[in-house]
Amino acid sequence: MSTQLLDPPVTTPTSAMPSTSPRKVLIGLIGAGIQKSLSPALHEEEARHHGMRLHYQLIDLDRSASSVEHLPTLLSAARIMGYAGCNVTYPCKQAVIPHLDSLSEEARAMGAVNTVVIRDGQLVGHNTDGSGWAWGFTRALPGADLRRVVLLGAGGAGAAIAHAVLRLGAEHLSIVDAQPERAAQLAADVNALYGARAEAADIQAAMAQATGLIHATPTGMDKLPGLPLDVALLRPAMWVSEVVYFPLDTALVQAARALGCRVSDGGGMAVGQAVGAFELFTGEAPDAARMDAHFRRLVSTR
């Protein structure tokens, strides 16, 4: 019986092998109705430019019939599975705070979190909504008149924006919310930090003198279509800043443009907050212009 000799296995010299494998990063987004979010594509593509393999997981409360009551379980699972962190969106930006180990100064001041970083087993809450909104706003509406600004919505996004617009120099901020007590509390919070420049207000009275409107409620999203206020309250001389980005041309954006208002769509804040979150998660400074261009390409194909 003859013995068949096998070819020796082919080996690669150690010197020819890559010295390191790509860094792997696992992050996610916790929120309701988030299946059309562009955040996974934004973060994963930017990570590729930095030589990282990043996976961005959507953790949709609607898909799993879950609610904010499940946040402790979700955060614990993210920690156990080695997540670098999670973005947090509606309706969890304020509900998540009691379940975190600590907060950044900005998140504590704003009373809302949109980015949870996991380091050494600790959950640290940050907020990149305010800086993200300011990044998009100043790019889209340079020189905007900030004498009398109306903020519609005092929830997580609205709280962050209230701080940001006052830091940009708004002289007077009227805060309007379906829950008047929430608007009053936000006004009190920002006044304690920036001086008496904000008040809870009625939408009609506030809009009569407004130089600009910031819309920070979910109205206008695909799952919550419609207008957040009577279009008759808009005037051509006003500017309008939208936070909803899917769709990019919300009913409010369309109505404002039709009247001749200067408009900042929700894409600016979407990209701006992602820029800040990416750096917190990875420690790498992203290319903001590249992320914005990628975002616009993604929206154009939807």
Side-chain angles (χ1 to χ4, degrees), residues 247-271:
L248 204 54
D249 285 327
T250 62
L252 175 61
V253 166
Q254 292 179 37
R257 283 189 174 139
L259 278 173
C261 301
R262 296 175 67 202
V263 174
S264 173
D265 64 41
M269 181 173 175
V271 174

PDB file of all heavy atoms in Angstrom, residues 247-271:
ATOM      1  N   PRO A 247     -38.790  62.871   7.758  1.00  0.00           N
ATOM      2  CA  PRO A 247     -38.159  63.367   6.534  1.00  0.00           C
ATOM      3  C   PRO A 247     -37.433  64.701   6.760  1.00  0.00           C
ATOM      4  O   PRO A 247     -37.745  65.435   7.706  1.00  0.00           O
ATOM      5  CB  PRO A 247     -39.330  63.560   5.583  1.00  0.00           C
ATOM      6  CG  PRO A 247     -40.470  63.917   6.499  1.00  0.00           C
ATOM      7  CD  PRO A 247     -40.258  63.088   7.744  1.00  0.00           C
ATOM      8  N   LEU A 248     -36.495  65.006   5.874  1.00  0.00           N
ATOM      9  CA  LEU A 248     -35.751  66.257   5.978  1.00  0.00           C
ATOM     10  C   LEU A 248     -36.657  67.450   5.686  1.00  0.00           C
ATOM     11  O   LEU A 248     -36.587  68.477   6.353  1.00  0.00           O
ATOM     12  CB  LEU A 248     -34.573  66.221   5.004  1.00  0.00           C
ATOM     13  CG  LEU A 248     -33.366  67.108   5.318  1.00  0.00           C
ATOM     14  CD1 LEU A 248     -32.836  66.851   6.721  1.00  0.00           C
ATOM     15  CD2 LEU A 248     -32.284  66.907   4.284  1.00  0.00           C
ATOM     16  N   ASP A 249     -37.513  67.301   4.682  1.00  0.00           N
ATOM     17  CA  ASP A 249     -38.472  68.362   4.356  1.00  0.00           C
ATOM     18  C   ASP A 249     -39.782  68.097   5.089  1.00  0.00           C
ATOM     19  O   ASP A 249     -40.749  67.589   4.516  1.00  0.00           O
ATOM     20  CB  ASP A 249     -38.714  68.426   2.842  1.00  0.00           C
ATOM     21  CG  ASP A 249     -37.558  69.051   2.095  1.00  0.00           C
ATOM     22  OD1 ASP A 249     -36.910  69.956   2.662  1.00  0.00           O
ATOM     23  OD2 ASP A 249     -37.277  68.632   0.969  1.00  0.00           O
ATOM     24  N   THR A 250     -39.813  68.427   6.368  1.00  0.00           N
ATOM     25  CA  THR A 250     -41.029  68.250   7.155  1.00  0.00           C
ATOM     26  C   THR A 250     -42.092  69.238   6.688  1.00  0.00           C
ATOM     27  O   THR A 250     -41.809  70.172   5.933  1.00  0.00           O
ATOM     28  CB  THR A 250     -40.749  68.492   8.644  1.00  0.00           C
ATOM     29  OG1 THR A 250     -40.306  69.849   8.807  1.00  0.00           O
ATOM     30  CG2 THR A 250     -39.690  67.543   9.183  1.00  0.00           C
ATOM     31  N   ALA A 251     -43.296  69.038   7.162  1.00  0.00           N
ATOM     32  CA  ALA A 251     -44.378  69.969   6.809  1.00  0.00           C
ATOM     33  C   ALA A 251     -44.028  71.383   7.266  1.00  0.00           C
ATOM     34  O   ALA A 251     -44.346  72.362   6.575  1.00  0.00           O
ATOM     35  CB  ALA A 251     -45.686  69.509   7.456  1.00  0.00           C
ATOM     36  N   LEU A 252     -43.361  71.511   8.399  1.00  0.00           N
ATOM     37  CA  LEU A 252     -42.968  72.834   8.892  1.00  0.00           C
ATOM     38  C   LEU A 252     -41.915  73.463   7.980  1.00  0.00           C
ATOM     39  O   LEU A 252     -42.008  74.643   7.636  1.00  0.00           O
ATOM     40  CB  LEU A 252     -42.425  72.726  10.312  1.00  0.00           C
ATOM     41  CG  LEU A 252     -41.870  74.033  10.912  1.00  0.00           C
ATOM     42  CD1 LEU A 252     -42.958  75.099  10.978  1.00  0.00           C
ATOM     43  CD2 LEU A 252     -41.286  73.766  12.305  1.00  0.00           C
ATOM     44  N   VAL A 253     -40.916  72.701   7.596  1.00  0.00           N
ATOM     45  CA  VAL A 253     -39.874  73.217   6.697  1.00  0.00           C
ATOM     46  C   VAL A 253     -40.488  73.673   5.374  1.00  0.00           C
ATOM     47  O   VAL A 253     -40.165  74.749   4.852  1.00  0.00           O
ATOM     48  CB  VAL A 253     -38.790  72.142   6.455  1.00  0.00           C
ATOM     49  CG1 VAL A 253     -37.897  72.513   5.274  1.00  0.00           C
ATOM     50  CG2 VAL A 253     -37.947  71.961   7.711  1.00  0.00           C
ATOM     51  N   GLN A 254     -41.390  72.872   4.834  1.00  0.00           N
ATOM     52  CA  GLN A 254     -42.031  73.225   3.562  1.00  0.00           C
ATOM     53  C   GLN A 254     -42.840  74.513   3.699  1.00  0.00           C
ATOM     54  O   GLN A 254     -42.776  75.391   2.839  1.00  0.00           O
ATOM     55  CB  GLN A 254     -42.926  72.074   3.102  1.00  0.00           C
ATOM     56  CG  GLN A 254     -42.164  70.822   2.700  1.00  0.00           C
ATOM     57  CD  GLN A 254     -43.095  69.696   2.280  1.00  0.00           C
ATOM     58  OE1 GLN A 254     -44.128  69.930   1.645  1.00  0.00           O
ATOM     59  NE2 GLN A 254     -42.754  68.470   2.633  1.00  0.00           N
ATOM     60  N   ALA A 255     -43.617  74.611   4.783  1.00  0.00           N
ATOM     61  CA  ALA A 255     -44.459  75.791   4.983  1.00  0.00           C
ATOM     62  C   ALA A 255     -43.602  77.041   5.171  1.00  0.00           C
ATOM     63  O   ALA A 255     -43.914  78.110   4.632  1.00  0.00           O
ATOM     64  CB  ALA A 255     -45.370  75.582   6.190  1.00  0.00           C
ATOM     65  N   ALA A 256     -42.526  76.920   5.944  1.00  0.00           N
ATOM     66  CA  ALA A 256     -41.658  78.070   6.202  1.00  0.00           C
ATOM     67  C   ALA A 256     -40.975  78.534   4.923  1.00  0.00           C
ATOM     68  O   ALA A 256     -40.902  79.739   4.647  1.00  0.00           O
ATOM     69  CB  ALA A 256     -40.622  77.703   7.261  1.00  0.00           C
ATOM     70  N   ARG A 257     -40.481  77.616   4.143  1.00  0.00           N
ATOM     71  CA  ARG A 257     -39.820  77.980   2.885  1.00  0.00           C
ATOM     72  C   ARG A 257     -40.806  78.626   1.921  1.00  0.00           C
ATOM     73  O   ARG A 257     -40.461  79.583   1.216  1.00  0.00           O
ATOM     74  CB  ARG A 257     -39.177  76.739   2.260  1.00  0.00           C
ATOM     75  CG  ARG A 257     -37.865  76.337   2.941  1.00  0.00           C
ATOM     76  CD  ARG A 257     -37.154  75.261   2.180  1.00  0.00           C
ATOM     77  NE  ARG A 257     -35.842  74.992   2.770  1.00  0.00           N
ATOM     78  CZ  ARG A 257     -35.323  73.800   2.922  1.00  0.00           C
ATOM     79  NH1 ARG A 257     -35.995  72.721   2.527  1.00  0.00           N
ATOM     80  NH2 ARG A 257     -34.115  73.632   3.450  1.00  0.00           N
ATOM     81  N   ALA A 258     -42.025  78.102   1.891  1.00  0.00           N
ATOM     82  CA  ALA A 258     -43.037  78.660   0.989  1.00  0.00           C
ATOM     83  C   ALA A 258     -43.350  80.117   1.344  1.00  0.00           C
ATOM     84  O   ALA A 258     -43.665  80.925   0.469  1.00  0.00           O
ATOM     85  CB  ALA A 258     -44.310  77.822   1.048  1.00  0.00           C
ATOM     86  N   LEU A 259     -43.221  80.455   2.625  1.00  0.00           N
ATOM     87  CA  LEU A 259     -43.475  81.828   3.070  1.00  0.00           C
ATOM     88  C   LEU A 259     -42.275  82.746   2.847  1.00  0.00           C
ATOM     89  O   LEU A 259     -42.393  83.956   2.946  1.00  0.00           O
ATOM     90  CB  LEU A 259     -43.819  81.831   4.562  1.00  0.00           C
ATOM     91  CG  LEU A 259     -45.258  81.507   4.951  1.00  0.00           C
ATOM     92  CD1 LEU A 259     -45.368  81.385   6.455  1.00  0.00           C
ATOM     93  CD2 LEU A 259     -46.206  82.594   4.438  1.00  0.00           C
ATOM     94  N   GLY A 260     -41.123  82.144   2.581  1.00  0.00           N
ATOM     95  CA  GLY A 260     -39.918  82.941   2.394  1.00  0.00           C
ATOM     96  C   GLY A 260     -39.035  83.032   3.620  1.00  0.00           C
ATOM     97  O   GLY A 260     -38.082  83.827   3.658  1.00  0.00           O
ATOM     98  N   CYS A 261     -39.312  82.228   4.654  1.00  0.00           N
ATOM     99  CA  CYS A 261     -38.477  82.218   5.851  1.00  0.00           C
ATOM    100  C   CYS A 261     -37.122  81.574   5.561  1.00  0.00           C
ATOM    101  O   CYS A 261     -37.031  80.641   4.752  1.00  0.00           O
ATOM    102  CB  CYS A 261     -39.144  81.418   6.972  1.00  0.00           C
ATOM    103  SG  CYS A 261     -40.758  82.012   7.498  1.00  0.00           S
ATOM    104  N   ARG A 262     -36.086  82.043   6.229  1.00  0.00           N
ATOM    105  CA  ARG A 262     -34.810  81.339   6.205  1.00  0.00           C
ATOM    106  C   ARG A 262     -34.952  80.093   7.073  1.00  0.00           C
ATOM    107  O   ARG A 262     -35.536  80.151   8.165  1.00  0.00           O
ATOM    108  CB  ARG A 262     -33.685  82.224   6.738  1.00  0.00           C
ATOM    109  CG  ARG A 262     -33.407  83.461   5.908  1.00  0.00           C
ATOM    110  CD  ARG A 262     -32.365  84.326   6.599  1.00  0.00           C
ATOM    111  NE  ARG A 262     -31.056  83.680   6.635  1.00  0.00           N
ATOM    112  CZ  ARG A 262     -30.091  83.973   7.503  1.00  0.00           C
ATOM    113  NH1 ARG A 262     -30.289  84.902   8.433  1.00  0.00           N
ATOM    114  NH2 ARG A 262     -28.923  83.350   7.456  1.00  0.00           N
ATOM    115  N   VAL A 263     -34.432  78.967   6.602  1.00  0.00           N
ATOM    116  CA  VAL A 263     -34.691  77.693   7.264  1.00  0.00           C
ATOM    117  C   VAL A 263     -33.406  76.911   7.510  1.00  0.00           C
ATOM    118  O   VAL A 263     -32.524  76.856   6.648  1.00  0.00           O
ATOM    119  CB  VAL A 263     -35.666  76.830   6.424  1.00  0.00           C
ATOM    120  CG1 VAL A 263     -35.822  75.442   7.035  1.00  0.00           C
ATOM    121  CG2 VAL A 263     -37.020  77.515   6.304  1.00  0.00           C
ATOM    122  N   SER A 264     -33.320  76.310   8.692  1.00  0.00           N
ATOM    123  CA  SER A 264     -32.286  75.326   9.009  1.00  0.00           C
ATOM    124  C   SER A 264     -32.995  73.997   9.211  1.00  0.00           C
ATOM    125  O   SER A 264     -33.797  73.853  10.147  1.00  0.00           O
ATOM    126  CB  SER A 264     -31.540  75.733  10.286  1.00  0.00           C
ATOM    127  OG  SER A 264     -30.644  74.717  10.688  1.00  0.00           O
ATOM    128  N   ASP A 265     -32.750  73.022   8.331  1.00  0.00           N
ATOM    129  CA  ASP A 265     -33.450  71.740   8.461  1.00  0.00           C
ATOM    130  C   ASP A 265     -32.811  70.892   9.566  1.00  0.00           C
ATOM    131  O   ASP A 265     -31.759  71.226  10.117  1.00  0.00           O
ATOM    132  CB  ASP A 265     -33.495  70.991   7.128  1.00  0.00           C
ATOM    133  CG  ASP A 265     -32.130  70.585   6.602  1.00  0.00           C
ATOM    134  OD1 ASP A 265     -31.280  70.145   7.395  1.00  0.00           O
ATOM    135  OD2 ASP A 265     -31.902  70.698   5.375  1.00  0.00           O
ATOM    136  N   GLY A 266     -33.476  69.779   9.882  1.00  0.00           N
ATOM    137  CA  GLY A 266     -33.013  68.934  10.981  1.00  0.00           C
ATOM    138  C   GLY A 266     -31.722  68.192  10.718  1.00  0.00           C
ATOM    139  O   GLY A 266     -31.143  67.614  11.645  1.00  0.00           O
ATOM    140  N   GLY A 267     -31.252  68.205   9.480  1.00  0.00           N
ATOM    141  CA  GLY A 267     -30.017  67.498   9.160  1.00  0.00           C
ATOM    142  C   GLY A 267     -28.808  68.057   9.882  1.00  0.00           C
ATOM    143  O   GLY A 267     -27.891  67.313  10.249  1.00  0.00           O
ATOM    144  N   GLY A 268     -28.785  69.374  10.083  1.00  0.00           N
ATOM    145  CA  GLY A 268     -27.644  69.987  10.748  1.00  0.00           C
ATOM    146  C   GLY A 268     -27.448  69.458  12.153  1.00  0.00           C
ATOM    147  O   GLY A 268     -26.326  69.115  12.560  1.00  0.00           O
ATOM    148  N   MET A 269     -28.531  69.365  12.916  1.00  0.00           N
ATOM    149  CA  MET A 269     -28.428  68.849  14.273  1.00  0.00           C
ATOM    150  C   MET A 269     -28.115  67.361  14.269  1.00  0.00           C
ATOM    151  O   MET A 269     -27.339  66.877  15.103  1.00  0.00           O
ATOM    152  CB  MET A 269     -29.729  69.102  15.035  1.00  0.00           C
ATOM    153  CG  MET A 269     -29.692  68.608  16.476  1.00  0.00           C
ATOM    154  SD  MET A 269     -31.177  69.107  17.382  1.00  0.00           S
ATOM    155  CE  MET A 269     -30.908  68.275  18.946  1.00  0.00           C
ATOM    156  N   ALA A 270     -28.702  66.623  13.313  1.00  0.00           N
ATOM    157  CA  ALA A 270     -28.456  65.179  13.232  1.00  0.00           C
ATOM    158  C   ALA A 270     -26.975  64.895  13.048  1.00  0.00           C
ATOM    159  O   ALA A 270     -26.403  64.013  13.699  1.00  0.00           O
ATOM    160  CB  ALA A 270     -29.268  64.570  12.085  1.00  0.00           C
ATOM    161  N   VAL A 271     -26.348  65.645  12.156  1.00  0.00           N
ATOM    162  CA  VAL A 271     -24.919  65.453  11.908  1.00  0.00           C
ATOM    163  C   VAL A 271     -24.095  65.995  13.072  1.00  0.00           C
ATOM    164  O   VAL A 271     -23.156  65.341  13.541  1.00  0.00           O
ATOM    165  CB  VAL A 271     -24.492  66.129  10.591  1.00  0.00           C
ATOM    166  CG1 VAL A 271     -22.981  66.048  10.405  1.00  0.00           C
ATOM    167  CG2 VAL A 271     -25.203  65.486   9.406  1.00  0.00           C
TER     168      VAL A 271
END
